[in-house]
Amino acid sequence: MQRKSRLVLIAAILGFIFLYAPMVSLVIFSFNKSKLVTVWGGFSTKWYGELFQNAQILNAAGLSLRIAVISASLALVIGTIAAFVLVRFGRFRGRNLLTGMITSPLVMPDVIIGLSLLLMFVAMQNLIGWPNRGMTTIIIAHATFGAAYVAVVVQSRLRDMDLSVEEAAADLGAGAVRVFFDITLPIISPALISGWLLSFTLSMDDLVITSFVSGPGSSTLPMVIFSKVRLGVSPDINALATIIILIVSVGVIGAALAMRKKDMPHG
Amino acid sequence: MSQQENGPVMRPWLDPDAVPFIRIRNITKKFGAFTAVNNVTLDIYHNELFCLLGGSGCGKSTLLRMLSGFEQPTDGSIEIDGQDMAGMSPCDRPTNMMFQSYALFPHMSVEKNIAYGLKRDRLPRGEIADRVAEILKLVQLEEYGTRKPAQLSGGQRQRVALARSLVKKPKVLLLDEPLGALDKKLREETQFELVNIQETLGVTFIVVTHDQEEAMSISTRIGVMDQGKIIQVGEPREIYEFPQSRFVADFIGSVNMFEGQVIKDTQSKVVIHCPDAQMDIEVSHGVSCASAQKVAFAIRPEKIQMSRTKPKKALNLTRGVVQEIAYLGNLSIYHVVLDSGKAVRVTRPNLERADEHAVTWEDRVYLYWDGTAGVVLNT
Ligand SMILES: Nc1ncnc2c1ncn2[C@@H]1O[C@H](COP(=O)(O)OP(=O)(O)OP(=O)(O)O)[C@@H](O)[C@H]1O
Ligand SMILES: [Mg+2]
């Protein structure tokens, strides 16, 4: 027993180091005074100050946030509908095809998704004059793969759900719409929250697909960072990354707490 | 506690002019090629506590689900209080159901669960609160109103489910295994409570169970189901004492079955040749069957007399050796092996605390019974 628990502890520590050492060094260097990224020159917060002067980065961050919120919400609606169709509508023609299609963005290489979306947008623009490449196309692209993740998460929750709970509500006099909003939605809400958060983060962080479908003047945060890093790593990027890590951590911990509260009576 | 002794006034099924409250006509439910409920016709009267009894998978839940509207019958019709139920959705039916899985709303407190149906009826708040409090008291869960279902024990959850289906005082209450998760003592109390509630509220109950003792003790009538069919409907005593088929005799209580052949069949008596019982069993009632037909003679363990000395006068008499005795407190079960090799179950009440003359292991005993102790079954 003793040996085993020590082994587990060592494995856990190694795992944490492997995962978090790069991030920790990034956070530390974001407070570096020196302009050289690899040399410690004393503590300073000047890169943060500089970051908030940088209009390009602030604009990109704002755009990324807007895209992430809108596309995650779209993905939530589309993915949830897809999950309901797959779980609740029994067997219908094309069910297997739909199952395959809905999950394909999970396994398809980003390059291929990006390229095919780009081709589609170009063709659509030629045919109906919409959409112009830019924020709209990025949102559509992100909602597409986000919906796949939402569908998978919501599907498993729906499968586990006891159907007789809905029947009980109907039996007590609730119509179909009421049953959905009073019973089904609250029960699957943890899956909806995690699905939304998942698509939000995926959208915030996607570079490849976004690069294909974005247009002039619509550079998202990952695109800006990537183009800057290609010219050499500057410390203000470290500061930006640190802020992103902070936001993501708060989000993830918050979501975990929310889920825990929801699930507490179950465990 | 059952209502069977209350005389003919309370037994509308004996009255040919009585109007049934629930009329089930030739109802059939198929799942693909599989027939879950097969051509069931059943009348249930107002204020009855009707028990559907049957083994696992015989279609009890499916029948209830058709009554509550969750399954559409493949064929046949259901009428409740003179109203045809065809095409009516569950939320509009005058029925409430208690689900086998309880189906409590996991995200709502006990109170909210119970109040849900009342809110759908748009009752004033004060009245909802009053009725919830009242029903919580009835199921003895007053202190648990604010808990979530997951914070309750199995038995408590069951009572919440019961309360939730009761609180709307529906015309018909459908209960799917309402007491399955309760321990014996609580179960007996709740059975009693159920009968009380049923009598005070004047609601017609249909209760599914596969516990035959429960069915016997609470119901006005029992319908025995097997493989989607209703095999026999009758008052508990009728089902127990006059089963019409081997299945019912075997399913309700325990029974000794002797296979044999009719050798004499008159108005007032039948004689059955039973090599198993090493005798010709005489039954003092006529049976309508062809002579020489193969039949079964069924006799309950408590209807068989047993003694070490030969009885002076016995219509049906056979001998065997006591091989096993199970002492159950109030009674003992004796396994007697006849000389033919057939094992017979006999139960005797333990009337004395210490009985030196009691039959013990390896005793050679006489088994005997009179002409009305058993029934002849030809199906
Ligand atoms: N939706 C369904 N699809 C296919 N078969 C079903 C369905 N519902 C029930 N059945 C089948 O119908 C039969 C009767 O089921 P039902 O639930 O009515 O049994 P039951 O008498 O309530 O049994 P138990 O005592 O175990 O609850 C079973 O064999 C079951 O497998
Ligand atoms: Mg059942």
Side-chain angles (χ1 to χ4, degrees), chain B residues 193 223 354 365:
Chain B
E193 209 46 60
V365 291

Side-chain angles (χ1 to χ4, degrees), chain B residues 55-62 64-65 100 176-177 208-210:
Chain B
S56 192
C58 68
K60 308 179 296 286
S61 295
T62 308
L64 278 205
R65 290 171 60 78
Q100 197 166 5
D176 201 345
E177 309 250 355
V208 161
T209 173
H210 50 228

Side-chain angles (χ1 to χ4, degrees), chain B residues 18-266:
Chain B
V19 180
F21 193 65
I22 304 172
R23 240 190 250 266
I24 301 173
R25 288 285 170 273
N26 304 97
I27 207 131
T28 295
K29 177 70 194 178
K30 288 188 177 152
F31 293 110
F34 177 78
T35 309
V37 171
N38 192 354
N39 199 13
V40 166
T41 295
L42 191 61
D43 282 337
I44 294 170
Y45 296 86
H46 191 64
N47 255 346
E48 261 206 89
L49 200 163
F50 190 93
C51 265
L52 277 172
L53 187 58
S56 192
C58 68
K60 308 179 296 286
S61 295
T62 308
L63 187 56
L64 278 205
R65 290 171 60 78
M66 285 192 284
L67 283 165
S68 54
F70 296 119
E71 301 283 359
Q72 296 311 313
T74 314
D75 208 3
S77 69
I78 295 173
E79 214 177 82
I80 297 177
D81 202 10
Q83 210 180 355
D84 188 11
M85 289 291 121
M88 195 187 277
S89 76
C91 57
D92 300 325
R93 295 198 183 201
T95 60
N96 276 150
M97 174 134 158
M98 178 184 160
F99 288 78
Q100 197 166 5
S101 59
Y102 315 149
L104 298 179
F105 309 134
H107 55 295
M108 292 186 199
S109 67
V110 168
E111 275 166 357
K112 290 227 172 83
N113 261 281
I114 297 174
Y116 190 80
L118 299 174
K119 283 192 191 141
R120 298 288 79 73
D121 287 350
R122 297 176 196 285
L123 294 183
R125 265 193 192 189
E127 195 188 335
I128 293 182
D130 289 348
R131 277 171 72 172
V132 169
E134 188 188 330
I135 205 86
L136 276 176
K137 193 162 166 215
L138 190 70
V139 295
Q140 298 172 16
L141 285 174
E142 292 123 305
E143 290 106 69
Y144 297 88
T146 52
R147 292 222 196 159
K148 291 275 178 68
Q151 297 164 316
L152 299 174
S153 75
Q156 290 167 338
R157 270 179 233 169
Q158 200 160 37
R159 281 182 279 158
V160 176
L162 183 63
R164 190 180 65 180
S165 56
L166 267 173
V167 77
K168 285 189 83 174
K169 299 184 182 157
K171 285 183 184 167
V172 179
L173 190 59
L174 308 164
L175 304 149
D176 201 345
E177 309 250 355
L179 310 178
L182 304 185
D183 60 55
K184 196 165 166 18
K185 206 158 162 60
L186 192 57
R187 197 181 170 113
E188 275 166 9
E189 273 171 31
T190 317
Q191 282 173 4
F192 198 78
E193 209 46 60
L194 212 58
V195 174
N196 272 344
I197 291 169
Q198 193 262 345
E199 281 171 355
T200 38
L201 296 187
V203 174
T204 304
F205 277 42
I206 303 181
V207 182
V208 161
T209 173
H210 50 228
D211 177 346
Q212 42 115 348
E213 237 174 74
E214 179 172 302
M216 304 285 287
S217 65
I218 64 175
S219 57
T220 52
R221 284 190 306 155
I222 295 173
V224 183
M225 281 188 83
D226 181 36
Q227 295 183 3
K229 285 191 175 145
I230 295 254
I231 307 198
Q232 189 176 352
V233 177
E235 293 170 34
R237 173 179 296 273
E238 200 178 329
I239 296 267
Y240 187 77
E241 304 291 0
F242 304 99
Q244 287 164 358
S245 63
R246 285 169 220 226
F247 179 85
V248 174
D250 203 29
F251 190 77
I252 312 283
S254 65
V255 75
N256 296 296
M257 207 93 77
F258 298 102
E259 300 293 330
Q261 202 170 18
V262 177
I263 51 175
K264 197 162 154 199
D265 184 8
T266 66

